[in-house]
Amino acid sequence: MNLLASPSPMQAKARRRIVIVDDHPVVVEGWRRIVCAHLDCEVILATSALEGMRAWRSVQPHLVVVDLTLGDNKVAGIKLIERLRMLDMNLPILVFTMHRSQVLARRALHVGANGIVNKDSPPAEILKATTDVMAGGTYVEHRLATQIALMDVRNAGKNSRLTAREEEILGMIANGLSYREIADRACISYKTVSNVSLTVREKLGATNLADLVVKSIRYFDEH
């Protein structure tokens, strides 16, 4: 874990802490220059998923930026996002990647990413994605968002029917229960609740838990 921008004692409290998980130093330095030129931030570099988890626990960042491919593992970033989201439902997570696959992007959103921006995007777009997600919003670059939307339209109606168990859990999510509360009430494991929730997200086309709550209300209004 490397500190790329160390705060002075007077600045430490004001600075935003950002963990970036990426094993390409040149790319990370380019991102840091873009972001730190406009934001007062402390950037912590992690070069693996394991380092990313350690950095998250150590500094409790305001934002985690994740590359989807770490080393030879093309889905390490997705697994890291999924793990982080299970541990912290409110953590802003931004994907920063060279991939333009709408399938991978959709998967990253479904497991908990709040936004995605490509590494070859213009500096202004990279900065906007970073600030929007860190502020609690979402961001998906326009072309990728269009591709994902078209894929969802093509898949509309396929496997969209929910099982009784899925409807039961969706109803409890709509009522504001946490995964742990749902597990206790339904007498099932936390992992089962998480897996069912992910399946329901995919069926309803929800990008994150907040979106799932909105779609759950609409679902029960229509059924």
Side-chain angles (χ1 to χ4, degrees):
M1 183 171 70
N2 299 315
L3 196 63
L4 299 185
S6 301
S8 68
M10 294 297 293
Q11 293 175 316
K13 190 172 181 180
R15 285 190 167 184
R16 311 295 281 176
R17 297 181 302 278
I18 302 175
V19 169
I20 180 166
V21 188
D22 196 304
D23 56 357
H24 299 90
V26 174
V27 173
V28 172
E29 178 59 21
W31 175 89
R32 189 193 67 79
R33 287 178 180 275
I34 292 169
V35 173
C36 292
H38 297 85
L39 299 177
D40 188 17
C41 57
E42 173 187 357
V43 180
I44 299 93
L45 170 63
T47 59
S48 69
L50 179 59
E51 283 190 8
M53 287 298 304
R54 288 173 176 167
W56 169 77
R57 289 194 177 97
S58 174
V59 304
Q60 293 296 293
H62 298 92
L63 172 71
V64 175
V65 180
V66 182
D67 189 3
L68 293 181
T69 300
L70 298 169
D72 295 330
N73 191 334
K74 295 186 181 300
V75 294
I78 289 178
K79 294 296 184 183
L80 175 60
I81 293 167
E82 186 174 24
R83 179 64 176 159
L84 288 170
R85 182 57 68 220
M86 287 178 65
L87 295 169
D88 187 345
M89 293 303 299
N90 299 313
L91 175 67
I93 301 173
L94 174 67
V95 171
F96 187 49
T97 181
M98 283 301 297
H99 290 291
R100 289 198 176 275
S101 165
Q102 61 266 38
V103 174
L104 279 177
R106 190 171 182 267
R107 179 66 176 167
L109 292 170
H110 281 180
V111 300
N114 301 98
I116 299 177
V117 67
N118 202 267
K119 289 182 177 180
D120 61 6
S121 296
E125 186 167 16
I126 292 173
L127 179 63
K128 179 171 175 53
T130 302
T131 55
D132 282 4
V133 170
M134 188 161 53
T138 59
Y139 188 93
V140 180
E141 62 177 59
H142 179 72
R143 184 172 69 173
L144 188 55
T146 301
Q147 292 173 335
I148 293 173
L150 289 173
M151 184 171 67
D152 286 342
V153 168
R154 288 195 297 269
N155 291 335
K158 297 179 182 179
N159 302 318
S160 60
R161 185 177 182 84
L162 301 186
T163 66
R165 171 65 84 185
E166 289 167 350
E167 285 193 347
E168 177 189 17
I169 290 177
L170 182 64
M172 287 188 273
I173 290 174
N175 287 327
L177 273 66
S178 69
Y179 283 9
R180 178 58 59 196
E181 290 170 330
I182 294 172
D184 291 341
R185 184 169 298 189
C187 298
I188 55 179
S189 69
Y190 182 99
K191 184 175 179 60
T192 297
V193 176
S194 177
N195 289 339
V196 171
S197 174
L198 179 58
T199 300
V200 173
R201 282 192 208 180
E202 292 175 345
K203 287 186 176 182
L204 298 186
T207 57
N208 52 43
L209 184 59
D211 191 26
L212 180 59
V213 171
V214 173
K215 284 183 166 58
S216 69
I217 297 171
R218 187 182 307 160
Y219 177 87
F220 288 111
D221 283 342
E222 295 172 352
H223 291 75

